């Protein structure tokens, strides 16, 4: 059966993709970087089924070794410094991981075996100050953060290796996608975790930034299926993956608090600390191409997603006592 190599396997998407690939019968190899304590929380339940390879996006040779050792037919590059606010604090590091890291892994593929299929985790943040609504594969990029700019570079390198070397390289332009495994600093999980803490008496107030920001939020479990579908096509293309529906942060908070019978207005406070140097006010994706070519469409609605996340956080906090 086929081998797949996944970078970022300890992250939200890596954990869902690993589950998905294992269920399809793949032998899954996961790139992990060395840490002083193990960081396998999201893949604890499947870690005995994964072959781990120590490597880092900063280290070209380690990536070549990872590709040589795993001999994959498919490589999924999910690793990145993925949090927008951190990209202003560490813009150079973000460029190294999120941007140049893509070139390093593409080089590893070019050197070891050009027949390997490659998936790059591109982002709707590349649209930034969006030139049109909704955004499609043809919408020009206007990134508004070092993270967005680094993703634009990674995206174009993916396109370039496809056009220059004939590598089957696809870039998935994924809009925000969440789950109970989302990092707690992202707004969806920050809210659902706070709802659970408020409900269990561990927190009084939730401080947020721009409540009017609008995003097209989907479920991570649906989105990893699209990644895999992109690599099963004869022709590698770039695809927007989105729900086509948009909500404000305020609506997200309202639905999350309402799930446990609370009114968000009593608990949410706006704190300027969480405003960004430059905001991406509104993102809305059009995934017509993915629907047509891949037969992909999201299965979990926004309300179901937020309820799923609140329920999971509530259960966790109740079990913690
Ligand atoms: P996470 O932040 O949850 O996971 C990031 C992963 O990258 C972690 O496994 C992390 O490892 C790993 N990583 C970071 N730096 C390095 C490095 N130098 N070398 C090796 N591994 C590294 O992100 P998500 O799962 O949410 O997202 C997956 C990808 O999709 C990312 O590239 C993200 O930018 C992109 N994306 C995500 C969207 C979303 O809404 N979730 C939307 C669009 C794009 P460790 O555990 O050691 O920190
Ligand atoms: P992003 O779209 O990748 O930056 O995902 P985030 O979940 O970090 O942010 C989504 C939107 O929520 C952005 O427009 C933020 O400005 C907005 N937002 C409002 N309050 C907060 C907050 O407290 N934390 C975060 N992370 N985002 C917030």
């Amino acid at each position: 059966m086929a081998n797949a190599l996944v970078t970022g396997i300890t992250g939200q998407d890596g954990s869902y993709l690993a589950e998905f690939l294992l269920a399809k019968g793949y032998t899954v190899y996961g790139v992990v970087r060395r840490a002083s304590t193990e960081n396998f929380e999201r893949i604890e339940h499947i870690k005995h089924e994964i072959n781990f390879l120590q490597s880092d996006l900063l280290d070209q040779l380690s990536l070549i070794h990872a590709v040589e050792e795993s001999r994959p037919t498919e490589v999924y590059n999910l690793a990145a410094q993925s949090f927008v606010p951190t990209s202003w604090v560490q813009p150079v590091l973000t460029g190294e991981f999120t941007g140049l890291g893509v070139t390093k892994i593409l080089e590893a593929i070019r050197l070891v075996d050009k027949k390997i299929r490659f998936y790059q985790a591109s982002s709707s943040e590349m649209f930034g100050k969006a030139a049109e609504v909704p955004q499609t594969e043809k919408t020009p990029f206007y990134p508004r953060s070092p993270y967005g700019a680094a993703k634009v570079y990674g995206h174009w390198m993916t396109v370039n290796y496809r056009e220059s070397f004939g590598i089957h390289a696809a870039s998935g332009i994924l809009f925000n996608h969440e789950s109970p495994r989302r990092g707690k600093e992202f707004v969806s999980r920050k809210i659902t975790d706070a709802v659970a803490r408020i409900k269990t008496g561990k927190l009084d107030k939730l401080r947020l930034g721009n409540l009017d920001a609008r995003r097209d939020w989907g479920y991570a479990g649906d989105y990893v299926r699209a990644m895999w579908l992109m690599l099963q096509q004869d022709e590698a293309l770039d695809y927007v993956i989105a729900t086509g529906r948009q909500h404000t942060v305020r609506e997200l908070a309202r639905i999350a608090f309402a799930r446990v019978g609370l009114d968000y207005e009593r608990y949410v406070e706006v704190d300027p600390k969480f405003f960004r140097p430059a905001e991406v006010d509104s993102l809305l994706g059009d995934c017509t191409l993915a629907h047509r070519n891949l037969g992909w469409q999201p299965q979990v609605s926004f309300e179901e997603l937020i309820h799923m996340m609140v329920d999971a956080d509530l259960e966790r906090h109740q079990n913690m006592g």
Side-chain angles (χ1 to χ4, degrees):
M1 193 50 201
N3 294 357
L5 177 67
V6 180
T7 74
I9 198 151
T10 54
Q12 170 188 258
D13 290 6
S15 69
Y16 284 102
L17 181 66
E19 280 174 8
F20 179 88
L21 294 172
L22 287 169
K24 288 241 170 258
Y26 281 78
T27 301
V28 175
Y29 289 81
V31 164
V32 287
R33 53 180 174 163
R34 200 256 158 194
S36 64
T37 48
E38 208 180 68
N39 174 24
F40 284 5
E41 206 182 310
R42 296 179 174 111
I43 48 170
E44 198 57 49
H45 57 299
I46 47 170
K47 72 174 185 188
H48 55 283
E49 296 176 74
I50 298 169
N51 304 284
F52 293 105
L53 297 168
Q54 207 177 73
S55 176
D56 194 300
L57 286 185
L58 296 182
D59 188 333
Q60 176 75 73
L61 261 186
S62 73
L63 288 170
I64 295 170
H65 285 146
V67 175
E68 269 174 346
E69 222 167 293
S70 55
R71 284 286 161 182
T73 51
E74 296 169 11
V75 170
Y76 296 86
N77 182 38
L78 309 184
Q81 190 303 94
S82 68
F83 190 46
V84 169
T86 298
S87 79
W88 278 289
V89 183
Q90 295 185 295
V92 176
L93 191 78
T94 302
E96 297 270 6
F97 282 12
T98 307
L100 264 185
V102 184
T103 308
K104 292 201 179 106
I105 192 140
L106 282 164
E107 274 294 276
I109 289 172
R110 190 173 72 86
L111 287 169
V112 176
D113 180 1
K114 287 206 279 267
K115 288 194 296 302
I116 296 170
R117 295 186 171 198
F118 176 73
Y119 173 83
Q120 166 57 16
S122 288
S123 165
S124 55
E125 286 289 321
M126 301 190 303
F127 296 124
K129 194 171 175 183
E132 61 181 0
V133 184
Q135 294 89 53
T136 73
E137 294 78 9
K138 295 198 163 47
T139 304
F141 299 138
Y142 192 148
R144 294 270 279 174
S145 64
Y147 169 80
K151 283 288 182 190
V152 170
Y153 170 78
H155 171 84
W156 283 116
M157 289 309 283
T158 304
V159 174
N160 270 267
Y161 272 59
R162 180 167 76 216
E163 294 177 354
S164 308
F165 305 118
I167 292 173
H168 189 293
S171 170
I173 307 174
L174 271 54
F175 282 61
N176 297 50
H177 46 281
E178 323 294 310
S179 74
R181 298 182 201 161
R182 182 64 142 150
K184 284 194 197 122
E185 68 275 46
F186 292 90
V187 78
S188 63
R189 186 75 197 287
K190 181 174 169 181
I191 292 172
T192 62
D193 183 62
V195 165
R197 284 195 286 152
I198 288 170
K199 187 69 182 173
T200 51
K202 297 174 191 169
L203 185 74
D204 297 329
K205 291 281 179 203
L206 167 61
R207 286 175 184 83
L208 294 173
N210 179 11
L211 299 181
D212 298 317
R214 281 175 289 163
R215 289 288 182 278
D216 178 330
W217 279 289
Y219 171 53
D222 282 338
Y223 286 37
V224 299
R225 197 172 66 247
M227 298 174 186
W228 176 79
L229 283 167
M230 282 179 221
L231 296 200
Q232 311 315 307
Q233 309 307 307
D234 291 339
E235 188 189 2
L237 286 176
D238 308 321
Y239 289 97
V240 160
I241 300 297
T243 70
R245 286 169 203 270
Q246 198 183 46
H247 300 270
T248 59
V249 171
R250 190 187 306 280
E251 281 164 4
L252 199 163
R254 185 180 53 71
I255 292 170
F257 278 87
R259 178 67 171 172
V260 298
L262 299 177
D263 176 2
Y264 82 97
E265 286 188 272
R266 288 191 51 207
Y267 300 96
V268 171
E269 280 177 2
V270 171
D271 185 338
K273 189 170 87 183
F274 296 109
F275 281 78
R276 299 175 177 190
E279 177 62 293
V280 172
D281 294 314
S282 171
L283 291 172
L284 178 65
D286 175 351
C287 68
T288 305
L289 188 68
H291 185 53
R292 197 167 59 220
N293 289 7
L294 310 177
W296 180 87
Q297 56 186 23
Q299 286 167 1
V300 175
S301 74
F302 180 68
E303 283 76 10
E304 284 167 344
L305 169 66
I306 303 308
H307 289 173
M308 179 201 308
M309 293 174 69
V310 171
D311 293 353
D313 278 322
L314 192 59
E315 193 184 332
R316 202 168 44 84
H317 280 287
Q318 280 166 343
N319 289 341
M320 277 196 279

